[in-house]
Short mmCIF file of all heavy atoms in Angstrom, two decimals:
data_model
loop_
_atom_site.label_atom_id
_atom_site.label_comp_id
_atom_site.label_asym_id
_atom_site.label_seq_id
_atom_site.Cartn_x
_atom_site.Cartn_y
_atom_site.Cartn_z
N ILE W 40 -44.03 17.61 -1.88
CA ILE W 40 -45.25 16.93 -1.46
C ILE W 40 -45.83 17.58 -0.21
O ILE W 40 -47.04 17.80 -0.10
CB ILE W 40 -44.99 15.43 -1.25
CG1 ILE W 40 -44.73 14.77 -2.59
CG2 ILE W 40 -46.15 14.76 -0.54
CD1 ILE W 40 -44.25 13.34 -2.50
N ASP W 41 -44.94 17.91 0.75
CA ASP W 41 -45.41 18.54 1.98
C ASP W 41 -46.03 19.91 1.73
O ASP W 41 -47.08 20.24 2.29
CB ASP W 41 -44.26 18.69 2.98
CG ASP W 41 -43.82 17.36 3.56
OD1 ASP W 41 -44.58 16.37 3.44
OD2 ASP W 41 -42.71 17.31 4.14
N GLN W 42 -45.41 20.72 0.90
CA GLN W 42 -45.87 22.09 0.70
C GLN W 42 -47.01 22.21 -0.31
O GLN W 42 -47.90 23.04 -0.15
CB GLN W 42 -44.71 22.99 0.26
CG GLN W 42 -43.70 23.21 1.36
CD GLN W 42 -42.52 24.04 0.87
OE1 GLN W 42 -42.43 24.40 -0.29
NE2 GLN W 42 -41.61 24.36 1.79
N TYR W 43 -46.98 21.39 -1.35
CA TYR W 43 -47.94 21.58 -2.42
C TYR W 43 -48.91 20.41 -2.57
O TYR W 43 -50.07 20.62 -2.92
CB TYR W 43 -47.22 21.84 -3.74
CG TYR W 43 -46.32 23.05 -3.65
CD1 TYR W 43 -44.95 22.90 -3.56
CD2 TYR W 43 -46.86 24.32 -3.62
CE1 TYR W 43 -44.12 24.01 -3.44
CE2 TYR W 43 -46.04 25.44 -3.50
CZ TYR W 43 -44.67 25.27 -3.41
OH TYR W 43 -43.87 26.36 -3.29
N GLY W 44 -48.48 19.21 -2.32
CA GLY W 44 -49.37 18.07 -2.45
C GLY W 44 -50.38 17.97 -1.32
O GLY W 44 -51.55 17.67 -1.54
N ASN W 45 -49.93 18.23 -0.10
CA ASN W 45 -50.83 18.14 1.06
C ASN W 45 -51.66 19.40 1.25
O ASN W 45 -52.68 19.36 1.94
CB ASN W 45 -50.01 17.87 2.33
CG ASN W 45 -49.34 16.52 2.30
OD1 ASN W 45 -49.78 15.61 1.58
ND2 ASN W 45 -48.27 16.37 3.04
N ASN W 46 -51.25 20.52 0.69
CA ASN W 46 -51.95 21.79 0.90
C ASN W 46 -52.53 22.36 -0.40
O ASN W 46 -52.73 23.57 -0.50
CB ASN W 46 -50.98 22.82 1.50
CG ASN W 46 -50.42 22.36 2.82
OD1 ASN W 46 -51.09 21.71 3.59
ND2 ASN W 46 -49.17 22.71 3.07
N PHE W 47 -52.81 21.53 -1.38
CA PHE W 47 -53.23 22.07 -2.68
C PHE W 47 -54.59 22.76 -2.60
O PHE W 47 -54.89 23.64 -3.39
CB PHE W 47 -53.22 20.99 -3.76
CG PHE W 47 -54.31 19.98 -3.65
CD1 PHE W 47 -55.51 20.14 -4.32
CD2 PHE W 47 -54.15 18.85 -2.86
CE1 PHE W 47 -56.51 19.21 -4.23
CE2 PHE W 47 -55.14 17.91 -2.76
CZ PHE W 47 -56.33 18.09 -3.43
N LYS W 48 -55.43 22.41 -1.62
CA LYS W 48 -56.75 23.06 -1.51
C LYS W 48 -56.63 24.48 -0.97
O LYS W 48 -57.44 25.33 -1.30
CB LYS W 48 -57.66 22.23 -0.62
CG LYS W 48 -58.08 20.92 -1.25
CD LYS W 48 -59.01 20.14 -0.37
CE LYS W 48 -59.36 18.83 -1.03
NZ LYS W 48 -60.23 18.02 -0.19
N SER W 49 -55.62 24.72 -0.14
CA SER W 49 -55.48 26.05 0.45
C SER W 49 -54.65 27.00 -0.42
O SER W 49 -54.54 28.17 -0.10
CB SER W 49 -54.84 25.94 1.84
OG SER W 49 -53.54 25.42 1.73
N LEU W 50 -54.08 26.50 -1.51
CA LEU W 50 -53.25 27.32 -2.39
C LEU W 50 -54.05 27.74 -3.62
O LEU W 50 -54.93 27.00 -4.09
CB LEU W 50 -52.01 26.55 -2.85
CG LEU W 50 -51.04 26.09 -1.77
CD1 LEU W 50 -50.00 25.15 -2.36
CD2 LEU W 50 -50.36 27.28 -1.13
N PHE W 55 -49.81 27.10 -6.65
CA PHE W 55 -49.55 25.67 -6.81
C PHE W 55 -48.70 25.41 -8.05
O PHE W 55 -47.69 24.70 -7.98
CB PHE W 55 -50.88 24.91 -6.91
CG PHE W 55 -50.72 23.43 -7.09
CD1 PHE W 55 -50.40 22.62 -6.02
CD2 PHE W 55 -50.87 22.85 -8.34
CE1 PHE W 55 -50.23 21.26 -6.17
CE2 PHE W 55 -50.70 21.49 -8.51
CZ PHE W 55 -50.39 20.69 -7.42
#
Side-chain angles (χ1 to χ4, degrees):
I40 290 171
D41 289 343
Q42 291 177 356
Y43 302 105
N45 294 337
N46 300 325
F47 72 93
K48 291 182 181 178
S49 64
L50 299 171
F55 180 78

